[in-house]
Amino acid sequence: MSIPITIALQRLPHGVNLPLPAYATDGAAGMDVVAAEPLTLAPGARAAVATGFAIAIPRGFEVQVRPRSGLALKYGITCLNTPGTIDSDYRGEVKVILANLGTEPFVIARGDRIAQLVPAPVQRATLDEVDRLDDTARGSGGFGSTGR
């Protein structure tokens, strides 16, 4: 089991009386996050939904924003840019980009669970420009090339 990191959270004025992100069960990977505003997402529409808080993520980590599987299956509601990344140096309000891929308008009430937040370590890289890459069995085969 990994050691939890501490993430500072600032509740914003429109986030008063909302539950903070929290794990629903002991085995949950993501913390449920709720909407801080009501709205209706029309079929095919998307919106950045306010959560009412900002966070300070420790350097070397990110927080990923992921869809809730129940909303995706039952209503076609998902997060765009999934998983979304909240960088450690971002200090603005956390917003969730939701899209309605369903066929009916989807009503979101203030306080409804809309996404999950998953903290994750970040591995930085340096690039080494070379004249030629090494050979592999796959080579430069693209999308679907390994299924033949």
Side-chain angles (χ1 to χ4, degrees):
M1 180 167 206
S2 63
I3 299 170
I5 61 169
T6 299
I7 298 174
L9 182 144
Q10 177 186 14
R11 191 186 298 264
L12 303 174
H14 57 285
V16 170
N17 298 325
L18 287 174
L20 296 179
Y23 296 101
T25 66
D26 287 342
M31 295 178 274
D32 290 333
V33 62
V34 303
E37 60 183 336
L39 66 104
T40 299
L41 268 180
R46 61 188 176 273
V49 182
T51 63
F53 66 88
I55 53 179
I57 303 161
R59 185 177 173 93
F61 291 88
E62 67 169 326
V63 170
Q64 297 175 359
V65 182
R66 299 184 185 178
R68 293 182 47 81
S69 58
L71 292 181
L73 178 62
K74 294 176 189 172
Y75 307 104
I77 303 301
T78 191
C79 296
L80 293 181
N81 193 41
T82 299
T85 292
I86 304 170
D87 295 309
S88 65
D89 58 352
Y90 176 68
R91 295 295 181 269
E93 179 176 10
V94 172
K95 293 192 175 186
V96 176
I97 304 170
L98 289 182
N100 183 351
L101 305 179
T103 58
E104 301 294 327
F106 184 75
V107 176
I108 300 168
R110 185 176 189 274
D112 281 354
R113 293 180 299 168
I114 57 170
Q116 301 177 72
L117 301 180
V118 179
V122 172
Q123 175 66 56
R124 302 226 15 172
T126 57
L127 298 179
D128 181 19
E129 187 174 359
V130 297
D131 293 326
R132 187 170 188 281
L133 299 176
D134 61 318
D135 291 324
T136 66
R138 181 177 182 177
S140 61
F143 297 105
S145 66
T146 61
R148 291 184 222 161

